[in-house]
Amino acid sequence: MSLKSATANDWVELRRDTETGIETLRAHFEGHAYDPHWHDVYLVGATEAGVQQFRCRGRRNVSTPGQAFLLTPGEIHDGDAPEAAGFTYRTMYIEPAWFEGWLARLVDDAPSAGEPMFEATLASDARLVTAIGRAVGALHDADLRMVRHAALDDLLLALGRHVDWRLADTRADDPPSLAGRARDYLHAHATDDIGLDDLADALGVSRFRATRLFKAAYGMPPHAYLVQLRLVRARRRLMAGEEPAETAAALGFADQSHLGRWFQRAYRLSPAAYRRRCTNIPDA
């Protein structure tokens, strides 16, 4: 596994709002930013300067200043800078339960069952970009509570035109697809040292077919998805204050260094740095 190296000009600022659990991030990258990965939260951000390029929903997206980028939980994306000057962006990572509850309080026609999703990955919407900037700034700088609330409400109103509701599937007699069954198997055995043969046997197909179907459905092969699943769970444990070494052992990584290499590839922060920024717990 080779880790693409950062440039001397890359930087990352991460904060976590204790009231809402929202993480805010400002960062600058030149060249390769991060490998394909996904989050279990909503991602709402905007490019401040330069050109940001990323693949999501099966297409290459190019975000420039004045554009917002919007990702729902589970959407796989990567990132790089196609121009030498790189790009600077700001973004928010919003917990689904909080986001859906927030919408339900402020949106009169929100359905009682279902989950909000974004209609498009990129949005050229000046009001939304301004609202993202205000909300990130208010949370990132720990502004007055009422200022933070006002900024978040303004962001929701700006997001309203970009949100659609995906109704929950209630067809109990519709068996899950092979890819869906494979995904369920990976979630059920996320911390086990499973192989492709184990996955194939559980599905009753060859390992080659299992890999092909999974990649077609989720955009990455099963082994890459399993790593990302462990990283998502690692973020949760680190956010709760767990030591990186304990997290690595609990999630099936060989050791803390193994976790650290994968974590750095996906998030451009070490597990210790992420833990420190999200919990304010100093390193021992």
Side-chain angles (χ1 to χ4, degrees):
M1 179 188 70
S2 62
L3 174 63
K4 300 179 179 69
S5 53
T7 73
N9 296 323
D10 291 354
W11 51 266
V12 175
E13 298 175 354
L14 177 70
R15 303 284 188 275
R16 182 170 181 266
D17 179 59
T18 55
E19 181 183 12
T20 63
I22 294 174
E23 293 179 32
T24 54
L25 181 142
R26 292 189 69 245
H28 175 85
F29 295 119
E30 297 177 0
H32 178 77
Y34 34 80
D35 287 352
H37 65 286
W38 54 273
H39 301 275
D40 60 349
V41 295
Y42 289 89
L43 193 155
V44 176
T47 302
E48 296 182 16
V51 179
Q52 178 181 188
Q53 183 173 263
F54 63 97
R55 180 165 290 280
C56 185
R57 298 190 184 182
R59 59 171 293 179
R60 178 68 63 183
N61 301 273
V62 178
S63 176
T64 57
Q67 286 185 303
F69 48 89
L70 311 169
L71 282 74
T72 52
E75 290 194 315
I76 298 168
H77 58 287
D78 56 10
D80 64 83
E83 298 182 355
F87 65 92
T88 306
Y89 72 103
R90 60 181 66 190
T91 191
M92 307 169 65
Y93 301 96
I94 307 174
E95 293 285 349
W98 192 90
F99 185 55
E100 292 162 19
W102 182 38
L103 282 173
R105 288 195 302 271
L106 296 181
V107 178
D108 294 333
D109 58 352
S112 58
E115 58 180 329
M117 62 179 296
F118 298 121
E119 295 178 337
T121 304
L122 292 179
S124 297
D125 182 337
R127 181 189 175 193
L128 175 58
V129 171
T130 299
I132 292 171
R134 285 188 58 213
V136 172
L139 295 179
H140 207 72
D141 298 335
D143 213 327
L144 296 175
R145 186 165 179 248
M146 190 168 290
V147 172
R148 302 198 307 271
H149 288 181
L152 288 172
D153 287 352
D154 186 55
L155 174 60
L156 173 67
L157 294 174
L159 272 173
R161 71 184 68 179
H162 303 282
V163 172
D164 194 7
W165 290 85
R166 175 171 48 202
L167 295 180
D169 188 358
T170 58
R171 296 172 297 171
D173 59 341
D174 185 15
S177 66
L178 281 174
R181 286 168 53 197
R183 180 181 182 276
D184 291 344
Y185 184 87
L186 293 179
H187 279 255
H189 298 273
T191 60
D192 299 334
D193 187 20
I194 56 175
L196 283 174
D197 286 335
D198 299 312
L199 177 61
D201 289 344
L203 301 178
V205 299
S206 72
R207 54 192 284 178
F208 302 102
R209 187 181 180 202
T211 297
R212 184 173 65 252
L213 291 173
F214 193 93
K215 188 172 182 179
Y218 297 108
M220 59 173 57
H223 73 273
Y225 186 93
L226 179 61
V227 170
Q228 294 304 318
L229 176 59
R230 290 183 177 185
L231 291 177
V232 166
R233 295 186 178 184
R235 284 173 68 112
R236 295 284 180 186
R237 300 178 79 105
L238 294 166
M239 188 187 300
E242 187 172 88
E243 292 283 354
E246 296 175 17
T247 297
L251 294 178
F253 290 95
D255 52 31
Q256 182 176 341
S257 296
H258 187 209
L259 167 64
R261 291 194 296 273
W262 281 110
F263 203 92
Q264 181 79 24
R265 285 182 68 168
Y267 307 127
R268 296 300 291 271
L269 285 169
S270 70
Y274 180 80
R275 174 178 178 269
R276 183 171 61 252
R277 285 165 170 79
C278 286
T279 61
N280 294 320
I281 298 175
D283 292 334

